Amino acid sequence: MAKVQLKDICKSYDNGFNAVKNVNIDIEDKEFIVLVGPSGCGKSTTLRMIAGLESITSGELSIDGKIVNDVEPKDRDIAMVFQNYALYPHMTVYDNMSFALKLRKMDKAEIDKKVQAAAKILQLENLLDRKPKALSGGQRQRVALGRSIVRNPKVFLMDEPLSNLDAKLRTEMRAQISKLHKDLGATFIYVTHDQVEAMTMGDRIVVMKDGIVQQINQPKVLYDN
Ligand code: ADP
Ligand code: ADP
């Protein structure tokens, strides 16, 4: 179970700028929610507050009914996938994927099981010994996803994960992420400024503008009018 609720969430940055204003979103368990809107409308800020990477100025963020405003990122059962992959360049794919589990002192056999399972889902089985620089953009993005999957988070946050890929790979990865969502049965919150991505991937789409939620709807309702 992973319901995520944003109740009157606001963010004022230190310079006084109000980036997010009274945002209310009820995200259902296993839902694929897409936050869409022009650059600067507050999508990343919203996602970063959910991840715990940015403090919440006011309002309540809860996961499965428990308020988590003051809970450390690592204790939120959330994984975030970034646009720039953020892989460790000196480590192999295997080590990149297992790193977080090693830090948690999980035993080797258990780690191996999780890494192999994730590698299978993402078709990385033959690339586990490579370093990131010997991978294509799409393969790197899959490693970044793999690093999140091994932790079995209940909630996945993705901030424009496909924006550095070419058009063909983007299409492929869209399908892959949708499949991943089904396979994992986790709640996905996905930020993009790309309407096609929003329309093809989201169960529901949250349209933001100037820090405000303009509407929340299913893709067909939004784009049929
Ligand atoms: P989006 O992800 O929709 O492009 P962001 O959430 O990154 O938008 O940013 C929302 C607004 O907040 C933008 O106007 C941005 O310049 C501003 N902003 C982001 N981070 C900071 C910060 N650390 N300090 C001040 N303003 C910021
Ligand atoms: P994106 O477009 O991917 O959302 P941005 O370029 O808006 O990223 O922001 C990159 C980084 O700079 C973020 O950490 C954000 O918090 C910070 N930032 C963005 N706008 C401002 C700003 N006006 N003042 C200070 N920091 C900012």
Side-chain angles (χ1 to χ4, degrees), residues 50-61:
I50 298 172
L53 301 174
E54 200 76 73
S55 65
I56 294 168
T57 306
S58 64
E60 277 177 10
L61 171 69

Side-chain angles (χ1 to χ4, degrees), residues 170-193:
R170 254 203 319 270
T171 307
E172 241 174 78
M173 287 299 298
R174 276 208 296 268
Q176 194 137 26
I177 290 173
S178 295
K179 180 172 183 303
L180 193 62
H181 171 248
K182 284 200 191 73
D183 290 350
L184 297 176
T187 304
F188 277 41
I189 309 174
Y190 187 103
V191 162
T192 183
H193 62 266

Side-chain angles (χ1 to χ4, degrees), residues 110-137:
E110 184 71 6
I111 289 177
D112 193 58
K113 212 165 97 187
K114 286 182 182 292
V115 172
Q116 298 294 351
K120 186 160 183 216
I121 291 176
L122 293 165
Q123 294 148 39
L124 291 169
E125 293 146 297
N126 300 322
L127 302 173
L128 291 171
D129 293 329
R130 295 219 195 154
K131 300 241 172 97
K133 68 172 185 302
L135 300 174
S136 70

Side-chain angles (χ1 to χ4, degrees), residues 1 4 30 41 47 53 63 76-77 79 117 171 184-185 206 208:
M1 273 285 287
V4 179
K30 298 184 178 41
C41 71
L47 204 69
L53 301 174
I63 300 176
R76 288 189 187 193
D77 213 349
T171 307
L184 297 176
V206 177
M208 292 186 71

